[in-house]
Amino acid sequence: MSDLRFDGKVAVVTGAGHGLGRAHALLLAERGAAVVVNDLGGALDGSGASAGPAAEVVELITKNGGSAVANADNVATPEGADAIVQAAIDAFGRVDVVVNNAGILRDKSFGKMSVEEFDSVLAVHVRGSYLVSRAAFPHMKEQAYGRIVNTSSPAGLFGNFGQANYSTAKMGLVGLTKTIGIEGARANIKANAIAPIAWTRMTEALLPAEFEAKFTVEAISPLVAFLAHESCESTGEVFSVGGGRVARVFVAEGPGWRTDDLTMESIRDNWPTIMTEQPYLQPTTLGQQASASMKAML
Ligand code: NAI
């Protein structure tokens, strides 16, 4: 089987000045994509800005014979997001792939987290992914082709101490991904999300030292690039990825328990049945979930 290539395709990768985004941009460029390397160039908590990191990645891609332009706009503002997509149109005439990867951390235990710490993290992850996808969507619709890869996190899917803001944002991206997947279907626009684990400046203080060698950023990018490729037929899915392992993560609903006389006490008495997982349903739309509730009445 032939290698998967992106010749003639244009990709936007946000937050591509460091870590995962940088590795995604390098791989996409190596496989022939023209890449907009976006990065605000700030610190881990989102403070500050610098055009340096994006420019350095572009320099590396160009040196390797690839095609890329740098962009240092902020994903979290409509003007910034529009400018990022416009950079792709101006430099390369189209946009086929959006990898929403930009992110910041402002960890604090729930009781101590300020409203500003909560809002600013949602702004970059959720609003940023929404805004950049929103800017690219009309172009993708017009050409009846597009691939969007969002960056969720195990912290969002499963929760994590000290990350109420971050985990809310990362689970929010699952909803965004699923709905873009549904709405994009007719125009061959596919949206999927990854929940990665890799050694970067974001995780080096949190992960055990032995993860550094095995949980590399290069072990995440092949999945991102595959989800960004035209041969990927899945949409609305979430994949956990790290250290060479890729697994589908899905939202499932247990078989449940139903009565015509639901009371607090009947819920208490049937709690073990309500908590049963098997055989689970795995609705891929709200309609499928609703029809399961309908069926239980028959
Ligand atoms: P990183 O800090 O190396 O990369 C994030 C990049 O986003 C930085 O280069 C930063 O300058 C950029 N950025 C931040 N705010 C921006 C904004 N408003 N506009 C444009 N660029 C902005 O961290 P890492 O680990 O590479 O993270 C990449 C993504 O992966 C993030 O969304 C993160 O939440 C997610 N993630 C990472 C995990 C890991 O194990 N490293 C685990 C789960 C999720």
Side-chain angles (χ1 to χ4, degrees):
M1 292 256 270
S2 60
D3 284 354
L4 299 175
R5 305 256 334 151
F6 290 88
D7 302 303
K9 295 278 194 289
V10 177
V12 166
V13 185
T14 70
H18 295 112
L20 290 172
R22 180 178 182 276
H24 305 337
L26 292 177
L27 179 59
L28 290 167
E30 187 191 306
R31 294 298 180 111
V35 182
V36 174
V37 176
N38 157 265
D39 206 293
L40 189 60
L44 186 54
D45 68 357
S47 60
S50 156
E56 275 169 39
V57 175
V58 168
E59 205 179 304
L60 188 55
I61 290 174
T62 317
K63 206 175 79 192
N64 293 338
S67 192
V69 292
N71 171 286
D73 282 299
N74 184 353
V75 297
T77 67
E79 304 74 32
D82 288 351
I84 293 166
V85 171
Q86 194 57 44
I89 306 298
D90 291 347
F92 308 118
R94 55 189 288 131
V95 57
D96 302 286
V97 172
V98 169
V99 180
N100 288 307
N101 166 82
I104 62 168
L105 278 189
R106 294 197 181 170
D107 292 1
K108 208 51 96 50
S109 61
F110 182 67
K112 295 196 177 127
M113 184 175 290
S114 68
V115 173
E116 206 280 320
E117 283 161 342
F118 186 83
D119 286 346
S120 57
V121 167
L122 261 78
V124 177
H125 295 272
V126 179
R127 207 163 179 259
S129 301
Y130 157 66
L131 288 172
V132 179
S133 304
R134 170 182 174 268
F137 202 69
H139 299 282
M140 293 178 167
K141 261 180 108 169
E142 174 85 22
Q143 68 202 14
Y145 181 74
R147 295 287 182 269
I148 295 171
V149 184
N150 291 325
T151 310
S152 181
S153 168
L157 299 172
F158 309 115
N160 198 25
F161 192 95
Q163 295 196 311
N165 48 6
Y166 185 77
S167 55
T168 301
K170 291 306 199 186
M171 198 53 163
L173 286 169
V174 172
L176 181 68
T177 303
K178 288 185 178 295
T179 295
I180 294 178
I182 291 167
E183 294 195 19
R186 273 180 48 197
N188 190 21
I189 299 168
K190 306 212 187 288
N192 291 286
I194 63 160
I197 175 159
W199 187 273
T200 67
R201 69 175 191 175
M202 193 178 270
T203 51
E204 62 190 0
L206 310 168
L207 294 175
E210 61 269 27
F211 274 50
E212 184 171 4
K214 294 258 187 275
F215 287 79
T216 61
V217 290
E218 289 79 16
I220 308 296
S221 300
L223 175 64
V224 170
F226 177 71
L227 296 173
H229 195 265
E230 59 188 320
S231 63
C232 173
E233 288 177 3
S234 290
T235 196
E237 299 287 347
V238 183
F239 300 92
S240 108
V241 53
R245 175 177 175 269
V246 179
R248 182 183 185 202
V249 178
F250 50 89
V251 178
E253 183 169 306
W257 171 78
R258 183 191 179 278
T259 175
D260 282 327
D261 182 28
L262 198 67
T263 62
M264 286 176 66
E265 292 72 26
S266 67
I267 289 172
R268 175 198 61 201
D269 297 343
N270 287 281
W271 198 245
T273 313
I274 290 167
M275 291 296 284
T276 299
E277 291 168 8
Q278 304 283 352
Y280 61 77
L281 313 168
Q282 199 234 318
T284 53
T285 61
L286 180 149
Q288 284 178 14
Q289 196 277 340
S291 70
S293 299
M294 284 292 288
K295 250 193 238 156
M297 285 180 200
L298 304 174

